[in-house]
Amino acid sequence: MSTENTCFYCEKDHRLYDLMIEICPLEVSTLYLFKEQTYRGRCIVTYKGHVNELFELQEKELELYMKDVAKAATAMKKAFSPNKINYGAYSDKLPHLHFHLVPKYQDGPSWGSTFEMMPAKKVLLSDAEYSEIVDRIKQNL
């Protein structure tokens, strides 16, 4: 059995940075902007340690992680005024605790249903547009 860590959240290699842009570290997690921006402002809050489930965290770590999730969601709400933020914590194929924070807009994609993890028609932005989104989130943290 291999002891090699294949988790891109832990390795922080090209697999991670092909999909996301690091916004900043939080108390016990890291906040990333998801490059696919069908849902403007979509982010990921990734726990810093390699665990897969919320129940694997000690009580204090769980509290701090959920505070990080709430802090990021609050910043997204202030920055982009979505009608709702969806939270997704799946990690079926990537066993590392992370939450997708997906701003939903009443007249936008998937309103009233589950967001698409990887939409067929991807919305990718310019470096300047990514920077603007990152700056808006940081300003509201």
Side-chain angles (χ1 to χ4, degrees), residues 101-114:
L101 277 60
V102 184
K104 300 281 283 298
Y105 304 90
Q106 202 159 8
D107 295 325
S110 306
W111 179 254
S113 65
T114 306

Side-chain angles (χ1 to χ4, degrees), residues 23 31 33 37 40-43 71-83 85 103 105 131-141:
I23 296 174
L31 180 60
L33 181 70
Q37 284 287 296
R40 188 163 186 81
R42 180 179 174 185
C43 290
K71 182 177 184 175
T74 299
M76 292 168 61
K77 178 72 173 175
K78 289 177 182 176
F80 305 109
S81 302
N83 298 100
I85 296 175
Y105 304 90
S131 291
E132 178 191 345
I133 292 172
V134 167
D135 289 346
R136 288 177 70 180
I137 292 169
K138 281 183 173 180
Q139 290 168 6
N140 287 286
L141 283 172

Side-chain angles (χ1 to χ4, degrees), residues 37-139:
Q37 284 287 296
T38 293
Y39 310 95
R40 188 163 186 81
R42 180 179 174 185
C43 290
I44 309 276
V45 180
T46 304
Y47 186 69
K48 288 181 181 174
H50 188 74
V51 299
N52 189 30
E53 304 286 353
L54 285 170
F55 60 75
E56 294 177 50
L57 299 177
Q58 297 295 317
E59 188 174 333
K60 183 63 177 172
E61 291 295 299
L62 175 60
E63 178 185 338
L64 291 171
Y65 180 66
M66 294 313 294
K67 283 183 176 181
D68 283 355
V69 171
K71 182 177 184 175
T74 299
M76 292 168 61
K77 178 72 173 175
K78 289 177 182 176
F80 305 109
S81 302
N83 298 100
K84 176 70 176 107
I85 296 175
N86 286 180
Y87 301 84
Y90 307 107
S91 64
D92 296 3
K93 295 181 181 179
L94 179 61
H96 189 113
L97 180 60
H98 63 284
F99 270 56
H100 295 259
L101 277 60
V102 184
K104 300 281 283 298
Y105 304 90
Q106 202 159 8
D107 295 325
S110 306
W111 179 254
S113 65
T114 306
F115 68 90
E116 291 182 70
M117 183 66 71
M118 291 299 278
K121 185 176 179 186
K122 294 180 178 28
V123 176
L124 300 174
L125 307 176
S126 68
D127 289 345
E129 290 170 311
Y130 287 128
S131 291
E132 178 191 345
I133 292 172
V134 167
D135 289 346
R136 288 177 70 180
I137 292 169
K138 281 183 173 180
Q139 290 168 6

